[in-house]
Amino acid sequence: VLISVICSPPQNYPLYIRSIPTENELKFHYTVHTSLDVVDEKISAMGKALVDQRELYLGLLYPTEDYKVYGYVTNSKVKFVMVVDSSNTALRDNEIRSMFRKLHNSYTDIMCNPFYNPGDRIHSRAFDSMVNSMMMQVC
Amino acid sequence: QRTSYEWYIPKGILKTGWMNKHLNLVPALVVVFYELDWDEPQWKEKQSECATRVEIVRQSLQGRNTKVAVVLIQKKTPLPPGEDVIASERAAALCNACDLSGKSLFVLPHTDHLVGYIIRLENAFYEHAQTYYYTEIRRVKSHKEFLNKTTHQLLFVRHQFKIAFFSELKQDTQNALKNYRTAYNLVHELRAHETNMLEIKTMAGFINYKICRLCFQHNTPLDAIAQFRKHIDLCKKKIGSAELAFEHAAWMSKQFQAFGDLFDEAIKLGLTAIQTQNPGFYYQQAAYYAQERKQLASVLCNHDSSVIYPNPDPLETQTGVLDFYGQRPWRQGILSFDLSDPEKEKMGILSLQLKEKIVLHSELIITLLSNAVAQFKKYKCPRMKSHLMVQMGEEYYYAKDYAKALKLLDYVMCEYRSEGWWTLLTSILTTALKCSYLMAQLKDYITYSLELLGRASTLKEDQKSRIEKNLIKVLMNESPDPEPDCDAAAVKASQKLWADCVSLAGSNVFTIEVQDFIPFVQCKAKFLAPSFHVDVPVQFDVYLRADCPHPIRFSKLCISFNNQDYNQYCVVEEAYQKSDILEQSSQGTMCLVPGKTRKFTFRFVAKTEDVGKKIEITSVDLILGSESGRCVILNWRGGGGDAASSQEALQAARSFRRRPKLPDNEVHWDSLTIQASTMIIYRVPNISVHLRHEPPALTNEMYCLIVTVQSHEETVAKDVKLTAGLKPGQDANLTQKTQVTLHGTDACDDSFPALLPDIPVGDLQPGEKLEKPIYIRCGTVGARMFLVYVSYLINTIVEGKEILCKCHRDETVTIETVFPFDVAVKFVSTKLEHLDRVFADIPFLLMTDILSASPWPLTIVTSQLQLSASMTPVDQLESYVENVVLQTGESASECFCLRCPPVTNASGVATGCYIISWKRSSPVESVPVVSTVITLPHVIVESIPLHVNA
């Protein structure tokens, strides 16, 4: 079970959100939404200092009984959130980190597209297939 | 008391009465207070009475190890130890009589230092109690040797628990914790089976609670959390009987709740929690398990109402309580894993299920959720808080408390709306719509429908279609169809409510402020220009767009302004028949077709008194339905827009995407911007104002500025007024040094104003030209701005309406003022030698030199030398420069022969002044002559004894 989400900075609305399986989608959406509390807090704790040396990966945001929620924030404060099944012990911090990096790269590609208007919800085949392959790998 | 355990088979882990026994029944120490002084005359009798009392206490303790102590309450202050011989003798005797050790006899003198004695006694008692618990621990430990692992597994846990419990009573929390931990591990070593699972879990829960509590007490919260996690991981899967799975969920919920309480307690005592680790998470998890319990109960306990509670009650025991914690009342003390009486087991389970059926789960869940909300509020988790409140709302919905549900959902809705989480918003709205349907809350029902039909709703088309049809029914004063998945009984009740609503007359107009949510009709109003001249009709467009699946009719569109007089001109109305409302093919004026932008153009003539003011659209009202059915007024404050439109406008503004070309009469919704206000400005004047003058102005001259006003109007310009003079808002000193007048023939003085306001000039016929000279006197050099302002009234016809407009035109001009000439003065001798001083009684010459600085020719009318008293002229002082015309750069000089009588003043004497009368030699006749006075320098006069005249 995994979702990857991106939220744009000022309003925090989801630019992209996917989950497998889809039946519990609403619950995941809530989970991701609530995790933004922690992301916000972590960002404000980081402060403005050392922006360029800052670690983008926020680590485990908070554990629930069933899921682990991880966060990642770009320098422009775009947030990536991933929710993984707690029982999935194969995923260690390093794997999560590299997944986030992949996601970030893919997102950067989208931003480089002159036809993409920043702030619009993402509809990109390349991004979809990247997310799909990542989900396959995890599930 | 047993001495051997060999044949003893325990029937359970821990007796239910044990803890209470040691907490409240068995004392560690009994103290006998007895009034007796050492010098008591009847010592013997008293001593034996005391001994009897002690004996009574001992007997009632029935051989328990409870300590006994005696306190003698004395009236006299005791002597220091060893000095009172009688006291020590009698003390020894008393101890002997009571069979006490010397350490158990105390004296409490009833004197001034009572508090001190009491504290000492307290400590002594505490020591005795500790000794008691120490021996109890030793006693329990000594049993351990006799235990064997096969038959006494339960006893290992029991003894370990007791040791820990006694340690706790001994206030030795470190050892208590250690022993509880051992006990916890032992519990999980027990052979578990469905039949004893509850017992194991109950004990594990108790011990876990103790460990966590002690960890918090030792200020090691991380240990507490780690223990709790371990506990949960170990017990999560220990469900026990599948038929009683709800019991496990309830137990899990209890574990989390208890830990949350412990955590919260610790925080109240000073522990600091953080955002990601606070009691809220535990309450939240407790709530989830409570939900699971509810869900399991609904599956497992859905017995038919004909199933009756078993008789005799299998949950009843002889004593009314259980012997051991966590055992089943119908098979207490049975250790075998085989069920000896399956029928009894069945009855037991049934009775538990029936009991579960009447539990108010929602109440439990809501309590836990609200506990969690309170915590998350504290730890900066607004979204978590909102989420929990949604869950509370949903739980209230399940509990059929729709009013409370709606209140909560409505409260948090805006958070999700403002953050743009449409899926979540839609889900909340759907529940809210159900609640409002079930309560037949018309206004809420309409409001939620409006938003669920809107563009933010993620509902499927068929759902939207259903909601729209219901909305139309409501508008026609009919009952809507029930929402799907609602409780059948509740639907029945609500249908009755709806029927009442329909039959009830009145209160059928609902005004809904749509600004703060995302309704299915969008509105943007736009003035065609940021300002309108008063003689031009004000024009604006109102754009409407519906996002619902089916076309929708409206009955009226009206716009309100800050000046309400205009409201009447901006109404679109069309009375329609009730039956028309479903006619989808009609795309008349009053019909909004999904996805199409509709434009309504309005124009009106602004009032002349609004000139210079802002006209603002204060609201746009779109009326759905009709007065005869139900009327819903969608009210937009200002020029439209809703909760999502500003973000959309921002995105649209950023976008570089090319929009497909549309037919001429259509527009892209995104490209429209709201313009809710416009300015009404003066009518454009149709006159010309020309200024004619010859700059620069010369100091103090009457500078002539000729104003020419010509009317190009087609009708007569009435009440023409001219304002001329120094433009206000410049340096205040300029106002003092500038005078303006209409009469240039005579020079004006300082009392004249700097600005002449509203000089009436009468009417101007079409094409008529008017010339007006203005005279300005500037007392100082420098630049000045002058204003010429012509205003008039004129009648015009706008849209067939005659209005009287005020028009004006202004011109400003900057005029530089310069000195007309420079005057140089020097003293020379009669031989034209330069003098820096003059000699008394010797004639000398005063030479003046006027150098013209004016770009225009100057006429020196005359000049005059006014000598001071100390100077005397040698010959006639007549002007040599009379009527001389000076061109730019030319100069005119004259020379006067003077003499100065001897003076005593060494610093010099005043010479007098030189007055030049001049005017511009311009063709304009009757220019007044200006007199410029030049003060001549002082001169030093020296007396000399001898002067040779050669």
Side-chain angles (χ1 to χ4, degrees), chain B residues 452-618:
Chain B
L452 279 170
L453 289 172
R455 62 202 189 282
S457 158
T458 55
L459 286 183
K460 299 249 163 35
E461 228 27 32
D462 58 329
Q463 288 299 310
K464 284 193 176 179
S465 165
R466 185 183 61 76
I467 290 170
E468 188 177 354
K469 279 175 187 151
N470 275 338
L471 180 64
I472 290 170
K473 277 188 182 173
V474 171
L475 289 177
M476 294 199 300
N477 207 7
E478 289 171 19
S479 299
D481 290 337
E483 289 300 304
D485 309 323
C486 281
D487 182 75
V491 167
K492 206 156 225 169
S494 77
Q495 274 164 340
K496 207 172 158 297
L497 290 174
W498 280 103
D500 291 348
C501 276
V502 170
S503 59
L504 208 70
S507 74
N508 271 344
V509 179
F510 304 94
T511 303
I512 298 174
E513 296 204 5
V514 294
Q515 203 88 50
D516 302 323
F517 63 97
I518 307 163
F520 74 94
V521 183
Q522 299 183 67
C523 163
K524 287 179 184 178
K526 185 183 183 180
F527 280 105
L528 295 195
S531 62
F532 287 92
H533 292 289
V534 70
D535 60 332
V536 173
V538 175
Q539 291 188 54
F540 69 96
D541 293 334
V542 172
Y543 296 91
L544 293 177
R545 179 190 162 104
D547 301 314
C548 51
H550 306 296
I552 187 135
R553 288 189 144 262
F554 63 93
S555 53
K556 195 170 165 187
L557 171 67
C558 50
I559 292 94
S560 310
F561 297 89
N562 54 346
N563 185 344
Q564 294 177 1
D565 291 343
Y566 301 129
N567 295 2
Q568 52 184 313
Y569 306 117
C570 304
V571 178
V572 179
E573 202 167 4
E574 187 183 87
Y576 61 79
Q577 291 297 305
K578 217 176 168 186
S579 57
D580 285 353
I581 202 161
L582 278 175
E583 200 185 315
Q584 295 187 1
S585 58
S586 147
Q587 295 194 357
T589 352
M590 314 299 281
C591 185
L592 297 175
V593 180
K596 287 264 192 296
T597 302
R598 279 212 60 117
K599 181 168 98 172
F600 297 89
T601 302
F602 298 92
R603 52 200 279 150
F604 60 87
V605 179
K607 293 191 177 299
T608 45
E609 58 264 34
D610 274 346
V611 170
K613 289 186 192 154
K614 208 178 194 180
I615 294 187
E616 242 174 303
I617 296 178
T618 51

Side-chain angles (χ1 to χ4, degrees), chain B residues 176-201:
Chain B
L177 180 59
K178 203 177 91 194
N179 285 303
Y180 277 130
R181 283 195 192 278
T182 320
Y184 188 82
N185 292 336
L186 288 171
V187 168
H188 284 290
E189 280 173 22
L190 294 177
R191 260 170 308 184
H193 187 263
E194 209 177 283
T195 51
N196 72 344
M197 198 71 97
L198 184 65
E199 188 174 7
I200 289 174
K201 276 194 306 193

Side-chain angles (χ1 to χ4, degrees), chain B residues 82-128:
Chain B
E83 281 181 32
D84 196 342
V85 186
I86 305 174
S88 38
E89 266 174 24
R90 287 192 164 175
L94 187 64
C95 283
N96 212 22
C98 301
D99 192 15
L100 281 176
S101 91
K103 284 179 185 165
S104 305
L105 178 67
F106 304 94
V107 171
L108 177 63
H110 203 311
T111 61
D112 297 341
H113 305 291
L114 198 56
V115 178
Y117 283 114
I118 288 171
I119 291 168
R120 274 160 66 185
L121 266 185
E122 225 174 67
N123 289 333
F125 292 163
Y126 172 59
E127 249 172 64
H128 276 282

Side-chain angles (χ1 to χ4, degrees), chain A residues 7 11-14 26 29-30 32-34 36-38 40-41 61-62 65 115 117-121, chain B residues 229 275-276 281 285 380-384 387 390 416 419-424 427-428 647 651 654-655:
Chain A
C7 295
Q11 276 85 17
N12 283 326
Y13 60 82
L26 203 62
H29 285 210
Y30 274 119
V32 173
H33 184 243
T34 51
L36 292 178
D37 284 337
V38 187
D40 280 356
E41 194 63 20
L61 294 180
Y62 69 88
E65 277 304 289
F115 298 105
N117 185 17
D120 278 352
R121 307 207 179 204
Chain B
R229 287 248 54 87
Q275 191 193 36
T276 50
F281 286 102
Q285 202 58 40
K380 288 193 219 159
C381 300
R383 297 184 186 88
M384 184 64 101
H387 178 205
V390 171
Y416 291 95
E419 291 216 307
W421 284 71
W422 305 140
T423 43
L424 304 183
S427 138
I428 297 166
Q647 172 66 17
Q651 284 299 115
R654 276 202 210 140
S655 177

Side-chain angles (χ1 to χ4, degrees), chain B residues 654-718:
Chain B
R654 276 202 210 140
S655 177
F656 294 116
R657 198 169 297 147
R658 229 187 71 207
R659 299 192 174 89
K661 205 166 149 41
L662 288 180
D664 282 346
N665 54 351
E666 287 181 41
V667 280
H668 282 287
W669 183 260
D670 286 344
S671 64
L672 295 170
T673 50
I674 296 171
Q675 164 88 46
S677 66
T678 190
M679 285 290 289
I680 300 303
I681 52 175
Y682 285 101
R683 174 180 177 272
V684 181
N686 214 354
I687 55 165
S688 60
V689 174
H690 283 294
L691 302 178
R692 200 146 47 79
H693 60 126
E694 294 174 329
L698 304 175
T699 321
N700 282 332
E701 74 161 329
M702 296 304 284
Y703 186 69
C704 182
L705 182 68
I706 295 163
V707 181
T708 313
V709 181
Q710 187 173 16
S711 166
H712 307 291
E713 297 284 0
E714 284 166 359
T715 55
V716 59
K718 289 179 290 187

Side-chain angles (χ1 to χ4, degrees), chain A residues 77-107:
Chain A
K77 303 280 186 292
V78 174
K79 293 145 201 152
F80 298 70
V81 177
M82 238 189 268
V83 183
V84 184
D85 205 316
S86 282
S87 59
N88 195 336
T89 45
L91 281 174
R92 271 161 310 161
D93 229 34
N94 264 340
E95 273 96 49
I96 300 280
R97 197 189 294 257
S98 72
M99 278 162 74
F100 271 128
R101 218 162 280 151
K102 253 162 98 182
L103 213 55
H104 191 178
N105 286 340
S106 211
Y107 176 71

